[in-house]
Amino acid sequence: MTREEESAVIKRILDGDINAFEILMTAYEKNVYNLALRMCSNPEDAADMTQEAFIKAYNSLPSFRGDSKFSVWLYRIVSNVCLDFLRKQKRRPAVSLSVEDDSGENTELDIPDESSCPDKLLEQQLTKEALHMGLNDLPHDQKQILILRELQGFSYDEISSVLNIEPGTVKSRIFRARKKLCAFLIRNGNIPDFVSSGKSGGGDTP
């Protein structure tokens, strides 16, 4: 949806057309769920967080000032809802490293597929396990920002809006998170090319 379309729907809701909120839910439910799933790593938890995020968004809609797109404001809500949930759980769940491509198919995060070679197959599995462990070893805020940047593909400005922090702070946190993830993987002797080369938006400096 364009910003103008969002504004028109929001105006209808604030004017009393409660059913119009379904338009926003239909437009963004899939993206909200995908973000919640990558943060919570559990389909049932992600579904609960998705529902809670939409409820919070609906109840908070009168305070939406329109400084950013509604979708960015909504992603900020779901991100905070998931962080609160993870803190309460006092656990570090695994993060799904699959991403959805343009055709709607789930694919693994840029790990070469050389299934014809047993050694490469084992190496691939170890790499994925190391990435899971490395991401889960990060503090919640660093894990969150890497998910938004590397898995969700958000721009720095979008992350800035979602987390309500300055763009410079976004870059610094991403840099520190990547550095810590690389250090973890190096210690475990297993580091994929996309991390070491900075392929996924690398080259950031604090």
Side-chain angles (χ1 to χ4, degrees):
M1 297 179 68
T2 66
R3 194 163 184 168
E4 290 73 21
E5 290 171 335
E6 290 178 344
S7 297
V9 174
I10 290 171
K11 185 178 185 305
R12 286 173 55 188
I13 299 169
L14 295 179
D15 286 343
D17 186 358
I18 299 176
N19 294 330
F21 191 71
E22 293 184 11
I23 299 174
L24 297 176
M25 290 186 64
T26 300
Y28 298 116
E29 185 173 16
K30 184 176 181 180
N31 287 340
V32 167
Y33 174 79
N34 284 338
L35 176 56
L37 181 60
R38 289 183 172 93
M39 293 190 69
C40 299
S41 301
N42 179 287
E44 293 183 1
D45 292 339
D48 289 342
M49 296 305 101
T50 296
Q51 184 179 35
E52 182 173 344
F54 276 116
I55 291 173
K56 284 183 177 292
Y58 177 79
N59 290 333
S60 303
L61 200 57
S63 66
F64 176 64
R65 298 189 303 272
D67 296 335
S68 63
K69 286 192 65 177
F70 169 81
S71 56
V72 174
W73 181 73
L74 176 62
Y75 297 149
R76 181 189 306 167
I77 291 176
V78 69
S79 180
N80 289 335
V81 165
C82 290
L83 278 180
D84 289 342
F85 171 76
L86 292 175
R87 291 190 185 105
K88 290 176 182 177
Q89 292 299 303
K90 296 182 180 179
R91 57 182 173 85
R92 293 178 178 273
V95 176
S96 172
L97 296 179
S98 63
V99 293
E100 188 171 275
D101 59 25
D102 293 337
S103 63
E105 296 292 328
N106 285 330
T107 57
E108 292 300 322
L109 181 64
D110 199 24
I111 297 176
D113 182 13
E114 299 181 72
S115 56
S116 59
C117 176
D119 290 341
K120 290 296 183 182
L121 188 61
L122 176 59
E123 180 182 348
Q124 178 180 341
Q125 182 61 33
L126 291 175
T127 298
K128 288 191 289 186
E129 290 177 358
L131 282 169
H132 279 290
M133 294 173 62
L135 282 171
N136 290 329
D137 189 63
L138 295 175
H140 283 314
D141 61 337
Q142 293 184 3
K143 173 181 174 182
Q144 174 192 37
I145 208 165
L146 278 188
I147 289 173
L148 291 173
R149 177 62 178 170
E150 308 294 359
L151 300 185
Q152 294 295 113
F154 281 28
S155 68
Y156 295 126
D157 287 341
E158 288 172 333
I159 295 174
S160 174
S161 296
V162 168
L163 301 183
N164 198 26
I165 57 178
E166 294 296 324
T169 303
V170 171
K171 292 184 178 181
S172 295
R173 287 188 184 179
I174 289 175
F175 177 83
R176 289 195 297 270
R178 285 177 179 154
K179 186 175 180 181
K180 186 166 184 178
L181 177 60
C182 284
F184 177 91
L185 295 173
I186 290 172
R187 285 199 306 271
N188 286 272
N190 199 336
I191 180 167
D193 291 340
F194 85 91
V195 175
S196 60
S197 65
K199 179 178 178 182
S200 296
D204 304 317
T205 55

